[in-house]
Amino acid sequence: MRKKTFKYFRSAPDMQPIEDAKAVGSLYRYWRLRTFYAMYIGYIFYYFTRKSFTFIMPVLQEGGMSLASLGMISSALSLSYGCSKFFSGILGDRSNPRYFMAIGLLFTGACNLAFGLSSSLLLFVIFWGLNGWFQGWGWPGCAKLLTYWYSHKERGLWWGLWNTSHNLGGALAPLLVGLVMHHFDWRTCLFVSAFLSLLGSLFLLNRLRDTPRSLGLPPVEVYQGEAQAPKEERESYPARKILLRFVLKNPCIWILSWANFFVYVIRTAVNDWSFLYYCQHFPGEGYSVASLCCCSFEVGGLVGSLSAGWLSDSLFLGRRNPINVLYLTGTMTLCFCMVYMPSDAPFALHALWMFAMGFCIFGPQMLIGMAAAELSHKKAVASASGFTGFWGYLGAAFAGLPLGGLIAQWGWSGYFAFLSFTALLAGGALLPLWHAQEHLETGAQDAPI
């Protein structure tokens, strides 16, 4: 029964290679485009079911829920999502993204539905924690597909383009929630998210496939004329050896994980607490102003992701961490400036600040996962990025309950000062990897530090 249950998750077998070069070129162009838009749209649906809680927080607080309780629910998702990213990453390296992503999205919708039907804090924490676990099923498939369908010389741009799905989903979520809240209530928001996840799951099942070899196509490096079939695709390692050698014993992955912890503290803090901050800061306009500021953050993130990927490809020739350090320096400066932002500063200045924060923090958020994939091994892509994601979402969990307590104790000035210091720690952690670059043939143990 167990083998029958998991057979759909297994990577698709290699098909007989297509010999016609013209057919290979035509099919590659078709499947690269189809693969990209499928996982892009699919991840937007994941974002709807992940962020729905963030935008009902003010309503729940008005209903009597404390900041500590709101932070507890937020931390439940972050902790379970982080654990899921690691364990589903190990499974994702051997899974078919077509089924893995689609089934995960379906289950996140079920958790949204259950949350909307609940009324107690305990059930809120349980169902939102389960939502976090199934949220972790979305990323491994995307990491695998981006690595197998797009070569190293172009991957920064494609990865950056894909990463904008976070921002588009994050920008659309408050608009959707605002529209639903205007006509209905917070429970209906969860029900709408659940319905959208069902549609997204069916879409992924229809559109996605696995690696190029599963369609009879050569590896992308061969198609792009960069190299022969990569050593990683010819070698066969047991799962335990891949995890130990290319992830757990890889110093680059540990450095990236440590930095990712701090990056996700900042990203999640701005994501989860800004809506509440602006509802309090502009009490007369509340919900609409907060929604627009959160949209500015996501639009800035979209531009930042694109620029970070392109600059790492063109300016730094595939080195990702110089961009990370530069963008985190900007993040540190922006957060420090907010400590001294005048209380009567106009809305436009706050919207500009949110745009700049999104620009600076989403670059490292995207490139750290990409660097982990490139500094490990092609058959450990999801495991390596999942491991850094695990540490990232430990940081995200810290941005929930602990940061809620910090805000209650020290106010919003203390909150921004803390984020500035956190950005300093993240940028400093990445300095040893300034020259690190992908090592396709030798594997992660030989990656320079």
Side-chain angles (χ1 to χ4, degrees):
M1 178 67 181
R2 182 181 175 186
K3 290 185 177 180
K4 187 175 181 180
T5 301
F6 286 96
K7 73 176 182 179
Y8 298 107
F9 284 161
R10 294 175 188 164
S11 294
D14 295 350
M15 290 182 64
Q16 185 70 24
I18 299 171
E19 302 295 338
D20 185 351
K22 187 176 180 180
V24 167
S26 177
L27 286 170
Y28 237 113
R29 288 189 293 272
Y30 171 78
W31 281 106
R32 273 159 59 99
L33 179 60
R34 175 166 160 170
T35 297
F36 182 81
Y37 78 68
M39 62 179 172
Y40 188 95
I41 295 173
Y43 211 78
I44 288 176
F45 282 113
Y46 265 98
Y47 230 68
F48 283 149
T49 56
R50 186 190 314 171
K51 300 304 296 181
S52 49
F53 171 72
T54 299
F55 302 109
I56 64 172
M57 285 174 69
V59 179
L60 294 177
Q61 188 187 30
E62 289 172 6
M65 190 172 288
S66 67
L67 284 175
S69 296
L70 293 172
M72 190 182 302
I73 298 170
S74 178
S75 292
L77 181 137
S78 298
L79 286 170
S80 60
Y81 185 29
C83 293
S84 177
K85 266 200 154 185
F86 180 40
F87 290 108
S88 63
I90 297 171
L91 182 59
D93 283 318
R94 287 156 185 76
S95 296
N96 188 335
R98 179 185 183 186
Y99 300 105
F100 200 55
M101 285 187 69
I103 294 173
L105 181 56
L106 183 64
F107 285 157
T108 67
C111 292
N112 272 248
L113 178 63
F115 189 99
L117 293 171
S118 302
S119 297
S120 71
L121 178 60
L122 176 61
L123 290 178
F124 286 156
V125 170
I126 290 172
F127 288 127
W128 215 238
L130 286 172
N131 184 28
W133 180 262
F134 292 116
Q135 284 287 330
W137 292 26
W139 163 247
C142 294
K144 181 179 179 180
L145 292 169
L146 285 164
T147 304
Y148 277 82
W149 283 96
Y150 307 96
S151 64
H152 178 64
K153 70 179 182 182
E154 61 180 353
R155 196 176 297 140
L157 177 60
W158 283 100
W159 206 302
L161 283 169
W162 170 81
N163 202 65
T164 62
S165 63
H166 294 72
N167 311 112
L168 186 57
L172 291 175
L175 299 179
L176 176 66
V177 171
L179 179 64
V180 176
M181 290 284 288
H182 181 73
H183 296 285
F184 301 99
D185 59 8
W186 68 268
R187 295 183 188 276
T188 308
C189 295
L190 278 299
F191 301 153
V192 170
S193 294
F195 176 71
L196 290 175
S197 76
L198 172 62
L199 296 180
S201 179
L202 295 173
F203 175 78
L204 289 172
L205 281 173
N206 177 264
R207 296 281 88 190
L208 280 183
R209 295 298 184 269
D210 201 349
T211 64
R213 286 181 182 270
S214 71
L215 296 170
L217 298 170
V220 68
E221 291 81 7
V222 176
Y223 167 69
Q224 294 285 44
E226 291 186 19
Q228 298 298 315
K231 186 178 178 181
E232 284 91 331
E233 293 198 28
R234 302 194 302 268
E235 293 172 330
S236 178
Y237 289 113
R240 183 174 175 274
K241 184 174 181 180
I242 287 179
L243 180 63
L244 287 175
R245 179 182 177 189
F246 298 110
V247 179
L248 297 181
K249 291 184 178 181
N250 183 346
C252 295
I253 300 301
W254 281 99
I255 291 172
L256 290 167
S257 298
W258 179 241
N260 211 31
F261 175 90
F262 296 120
V263 167
Y264 266 78
V265 170
I266 301 167
R267 178 199 161 188
T268 307
V270 178
N271 253 328
D272 288 358
W273 293 107
S274 292
F275 199 79
L276 184 62
Y277 170 76
Y278 285 114
C279 281
Q280 294 179 0
H281 199 76
F282 295 95
E285 301 163 87
Y287 220 88
S288 59
V289 168
S291 295
L292 289 172
C293 284
C294 289
C295 285
S296 296
F297 178 69
E298 300 296 344
V299 173
L302 187 151
V303 179
S305 293
L306 289 174
S307 65
W310 176 74
L311 287 171
S312 69
D313 278 346
S314 58
L315 187 60
F316 290 98
L317 304 178
R319 288 187 292 128
R320 315 302 176 187
N321 289 296
I323 294 294
N324 288 333
V325 173
L326 293 174
Y327 276 44
L328 284 166
T329 302
T331 303
M332 178 186 68
T333 305
L334 287 166
C335 291
F336 183 77
C337 289
M338 277 298 286
V339 177
Y340 299 99
M341 176 79 79
S343 58
D344 59 347
F347 158 72
L349 189 58
H350 285 281
L352 180 62
W353 183 86
M354 286 289 281
F355 177 90
M357 274 297 293
F359 180 93
C360 288
I361 201 61
F362 272 93
Q365 177 270 327
M366 181 265 292
L367 287 179
I368 286 176
M370 185 176 174
E374 293 181 337
L375 293 172
S376 57
H377 187 284
K378 199 163 186 179
K379 290 190 175 180
V381 165
S383 301
S385 56
F387 185 71
T388 59
F390 164 73
W391 284 97
Y393 273 87
L394 286 181
F398 188 88
L401 178 59
L403 203 52
L406 184 146
I407 295 169
Q409 183 69 31
W410 298 102
W412 292 107
S413 293
Y415 160 85
F416 288 116
F418 175 79
L419 294 187
S420 182
F421 180 67
T422 303
L424 174 64
L425 294 176
L430 289 169
L431 284 174
L433 295 181
W434 185 273
H435 297 289
Q437 196 167 6
E438 182 182 50
H439 274 234
L440 286 173
E441 294 297 327
T442 59
Q445 284 192 331
D446 302 317
I449 299 180

